[in-house]
Amino acid sequence: MNKNVLLIIGGGIAAYKSLELIRLLAKAGVKTRAILTKAGSEFVTPLSVAALTGEKVYDDLFSLTDEVEMGHIELSRSADLVVVAPATADLLAKAANGLANDLASTTLLATDKKVLYAPAMNVRMWEHAAVQRNVAQLKKDGALFVGPDEGEMACGEFGFGRMAEPDAICGAILAQLKNGPLLGKKIIVTAGPTIEAIDPVRYLSNKSSGKQGYAIAAALANLGADVQLVSGPVSLSNPSGVTVTRVESAAEMLNACEKNLPADAAVCVAAVADWRPDTQADKKIKKGANNNVPQLKLIENPDILAILAKAGNRRPRLVVGFAAETEKVEEHAKAKLTKKNCDWIVANDVSGDVMGGDENEVTIYSKNGAQKFTRMGKEEVARQLAQEIAKVLTA
Ligand code: CTP
């Protein structure tokens, strides 16, 4: 994502979180230029902000050198989005009332871009009628808000006023900056394994790492889609710009997918456990006197892909399944295409090092034939698949 954000860092203890925000934005390909208010510089240093943004930090309205290099008007317009984090009661009051007595407030008045505020203050301050009046006015003027969250505060009190976490602010920013052919399209992606409990400490599962599904979710989000990633337990961090619902069992995964209907497409990459124990013991199963081996009776899990593909008028326009096979790849893939009523089966041969590895070699089977891709990194597979999906959804 080749975008720019102007970040105004106000004076609050939460200012340290804006450093993490800059890092997360950089990871998502978003460049940050920062204005550090005088109060903000009491909490984070201009040097740390400059080191993370890789840019000069702006702090003075009347700096002759800054005005020559980049005037405050240009600064306010050079970004795709203006973000105020932490947005203090003072900054909100200035912005709501059109005051312009320092660089931050002048920039907020001069900008022609959307402004996203991440408020951070004491709970009593947040609840104060004056602050709520200012927030209402800013919303009426078209401003966006993320948070504040409820929780324990640095001052020891509890309630609403904590700044939203950096990943939530980053998600709100990326949602605003999105563009691409899939803008306005909602896509469900399932990824990772599921785990099926035997008792509170034991389960059945498989070796899926979730890498391919996560890469597809990220690639679709990069093309502007509203991606709802339903993920089994994996050790991957949430891809930026993607909404993630974490689940454990197949039943939970199905439930989360159905909650996301209607959707324009569903891409089922998850290695859903085919079976689950027919009962889950609510206490740990003990070995017993004779060291008896417990006999597990397995029952079939719901087939999420097939259910989504048969969802009647709620069926996504494009339903994509994956087939991980160790033999007769084409034969099995074609059989799954028919049996599960999906539009594509993306087949891969997992007899080698694909599961858990970084590369994949896939073929898309559809009723129109087969499209084979060469072996490549899972991220490149994801990019190419996302483009193929975009072609269908924009046709
Ligand atoms: N799938 C699903 N729900 C299940 C099982 C599979 O959504 N309970 C989806 C997978 O996400 C994948 C596709 O179905 O997109 C194929 O899964 P796979 O396990 O290869 O196929 P199965 O139908 O389970 O057949 P088999 O295990 O015999 O190969």
Side-chain angles (χ1 to χ4, degrees):
M1 189 181 275
N2 189 16
K3 296 279 181 179
N4 296 295
V5 155
L6 175 67
L7 174 65
I8 298 176
I9 305 174
I13 185 71
Y16 77 93
K17 289 192 194 172
S18 50
L19 298 179
E20 172 67 0
L21 174 62
I22 297 169
R23 212 185 56 78
L24 291 175
L25 287 171
K27 226 170 105 192
V30 177
K31 273 192 80 85
T32 307
R33 195 171 267 152
I35 292 179
L36 187 57
T37 65
K38 195 162 175 302
S41 65
E42 300 288 335
F43 294 92
V44 292
T45 69
L47 189 60
S48 357
V49 179
L52 286 165
T53 57
E55 288 263 351
K56 177 183 162 39
V57 177
Y58 295 83
D59 52 9
D60 187 0
L61 179 59
F62 302 109
S63 157
L64 210 51
T65 22
D66 287 2
E67 278 298 307
V68 171
E69 281 171 19
M70 172 166 305
H72 63 279
I73 304 290
E74 198 187 333
L75 190 59
S76 76
R77 314 234 167 123
S78 60
D80 299 290
L81 182 73
V82 179
V83 179
V84 187
T88 58
D90 180 60
L91 275 170
L92 293 175
K94 282 180 181 161
N97 292 286
L99 296 187
N101 61 355
D102 61 8
L103 182 60
S105 53
T106 308
T107 307
L108 286 170
L109 208 54
T111 189
D112 57 354
K113 299 295 171 359
K114 279 243 176 230
V115 182
L116 173 75
Y117 292 92
M121 66 198 74
N122 167 273
V123 56
R124 296 277 163 267
M125 288 172 75
W126 174 249
E127 285 168 356
H128 196 284
V131 171
Q132 288 305 313
R133 209 164 43 234
N134 290 333
V135 169
Q137 183 60 51
L138 287 167
K139 283 186 179 165
K140 215 167 133 207
D141 295 344
L144 305 163
F145 280 80
V146 52
D149 291 348
E150 190 179 25
E152 184 109 31
M153 296 179 188
C155 57
E157 288 185 46
F158 186 89
F160 281 96
R162 256 169 76 112
M163 188 166 89
E165 290 306 319
D167 60 346
I169 303 175
C170 182
I173 293 171
L174 295 180
Q176 284 304 312
L177 295 179
K178 259 181 186 168
N179 60 14
L182 289 174
L183 196 66
K185 306 282 184 213
K186 182 175 171 187
I187 303 184
I188 301 169
V189 178
T190 68
T194 63
I195 61 174
E196 310 296 334
I198 297 170
D199 67 15
V201 296
R202 303 185 180 91
Y203 58 78
L204 298 175
S205 191
N206 59 61
K207 293 207 286 190
S208 167
S209 65
K211 281 182 191 164
Q212 187 64 81
Y214 272 57
I216 290 169
L220 290 166
N222 266 337
L223 296 184
D226 162 12
V227 180
Q228 300 292 327
L229 173 61
V230 182
S231 171
V234 294
S235 56
L236 302 171
S237 50
N238 292 354
S240 50
V242 168
T243 309
V244 184
T245 307
R246 301 245 175 199
V247 296
E248 293 201 332
S249 66
E252 288 169 7
M253 187 172 273
L254 173 62
N255 188 23
C257 289
E258 285 184 319
K259 275 197 183 139
N260 275 309
L261 290 175
D264 296 281
V267 186
C268 296
V269 199
V272 183
D274 289 311
W275 311 283
R276 68 175 185 275
D278 71 336
T279 53
Q280 283 94 52
D282 53 6
K283 298 219 165 53
K284 186 182 164 194
I285 301 169
K286 301 299 288 177
K287 281 196 281 293
N290 306 323
N291 273 353
N292 285 340
V293 178
Q295 302 297 306
L296 289 181
K297 182 167 177 273
L298 298 178
I299 54 170
E300 208 174 335
N301 262 330
D303 190 320
I304 299 166
L305 172 63
I307 291 171
L308 293 177
K310 286 173 192 148
N313 57 6
R314 277 155 55 90
R315 183 194 195 276
R317 186 164 143 207
L318 182 70
V319 179
V320 180
F322 270 66
E325 306 293 348
T326 51
E327 52 163 3
K328 299 186 194 152
V329 179
E330 179 169 353
E331 193 183 311
H332 288 310
K334 285 183 172 163
K336 277 177 195 170
L337 196 62
T338 319
K339 186 175 143 209
K340 302 198 184 204
N341 188 37
C342 49
D343 302 297
W344 298 351
I345 281 287
V346 182
N348 57 355
D349 186 340
V350 292
S351 53
D353 54 2
V354 164
M355 273 206 154
D358 291 324
E359 290 196 329
N360 207 350
E361 187 178 336
V362 303
T363 305
I364 300 181
Y365 292 93
S366 71
K367 64 176 186 316
N368 302 327
Q371 186 180 356
K372 193 171 168 46
F373 294 83
T374 52
R375 187 178 169 100
M376 56 183 119
K378 286 186 175 173
E379 290 192 356
E380 190 50 33
V381 170
R383 266 192 292 278
Q384 300 214 8
L385 273 178
Q387 261 154 20
E388 294 302 317
I389 290 168
K391 276 188 209 159
V392 173
L393 294 187
T394 54

